[in-house]
């Protein structure tokens, strides 16, 4: 139902937003030796989950106009080790997503949308979580939509969804 509401093909429920990020990164085979670009202004889990999969979080500035990363703040941080960008739609404010996706595509990087604060937010009529390769939600009690604790991984890729489904159950 959450996937359908957001116009995305697949969603897998997990125990928290942090678990969603870890499961997504495991499914994308991000690990030791890899760098993941994350905003320097976010909840700690956007970066700490990168450490949990053994990769290195690389912090980049946010745009003072919307407190989200932008193509401009990210581009200088991309190296040959960069595997993914975690973008956060902070405080229900959407990133300027299209230039970021174009940058990710140009460098062959995954784009992970951290939507823990952006349930139902819209960008040009399209829902948060429907843009990147994979999106992560939290339903913790302080979030815009809550189940007390909870999380969700969402993706249009059947391949990523299958891996997420296998991993979310006991890490099989
Ligand atoms: C809350 C939050 C998380 C982590 O979610 P939990 O359900 O608390 O694990 C991750 N990223 C952002 C941006 C958050 O606000």
């Amino acid at each position: 139902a959450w996937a359908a509401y957001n116009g995305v093909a697949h969603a897998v429920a997990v125990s928290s937003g942090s678990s969603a990020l870890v499961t997504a990164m495991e499914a994308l085979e991000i690990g030791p030796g890899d760098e993941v670009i994350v905003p320097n202004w976010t909840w700690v889990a956007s970066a700490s989950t990168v450490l949990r999969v053994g990769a290195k979080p690389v912090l980049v500035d946010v745009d003072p106009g919307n407190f989200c990363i932008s193509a401009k703040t990210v581009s200088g941080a991309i190296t040959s080790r960069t595997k993914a960008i975690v973008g956060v739609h902070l405080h229900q404010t959407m990133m300027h997503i299209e230039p970021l996706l174009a940058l990710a595509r140009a460098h062959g990087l995954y784009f992970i949308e951290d939507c823990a604060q952006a349930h139902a937010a819209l960008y040009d009529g399209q829902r948060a979580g429907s843009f990147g390769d994979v999106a992560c939600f939290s339903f913790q009690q302080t979030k815009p939509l809550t189940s007390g604790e909870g999380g969700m991984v969402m993706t249009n890729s059947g391949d990523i969804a299958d891996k997420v489904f296998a991993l979310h159950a006991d890490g099989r």
Side-chain angles (χ1 to χ4, degrees), residues 34-55:
D34 296 329
E35 294 178 359
V36 178
I37 294 172
V38 300
N40 64 3
W41 184 244
T42 177
W43 175 241
V44 65
S46 310
S48 60
T49 50
V50 177
L51 292 170
R52 281 172 60 185
V53 299

Side-chain angles (χ1 to χ4, degrees), residues 22-120:
V22 168
T23 308
M25 285 188 262
E26 286 177 339
L28 299 176
E29 296 177 26
I30 294 168
D34 296 329
E35 294 178 359
V36 178
I37 294 172
V38 300
N40 64 3
W41 184 244
T42 177
W43 175 241
V44 65
S46 310
S48 60
T49 50
V50 177
L51 292 170
R52 281 172 60 185
V53 299
K56 178 181 166 188
V58 175
L59 305 185
V60 298
D61 279 333
V62 294
D63 180 332
N66 65 359
F67 297 102
C68 299
I69 59 168
S70 69
K72 193 175 151 204
T73 70
V74 167
S75 57
I78 295 172
T79 74
S80 58
R81 290 174 174 247
T82 310
K83 191 98 182 256
I85 300 166
V86 174
V88 179
H89 303 295
L90 198 72
H91 307 148
Q92 284 255 320
T93 302
M94 297 286 289
M95 290 172 264
H96 294 302
I97 190 89
E98 272 140 16
L100 281 162
L101 292 175
L103 184 68
R105 265 185 239 115
H107 291 270
L109 309 177
Y110 292 117
F111 196 91
I112 300 170
E113 277 183 86
D114 182 340
C115 302
Q117 303 184 12
H119 312 65

Side-chain angles (χ1 to χ4, degrees), residues 120-142:
L122 293 168
Y123 183 91
D124 281 347
Q126 199 180 323
R127 294 252 181 247
S130 62
F131 294 90
D133 297 291
V134 56
C136 298
F137 289 86
S138 166
F139 299 96
Q140 188 267 346
Q141 65 175 358
T142 64

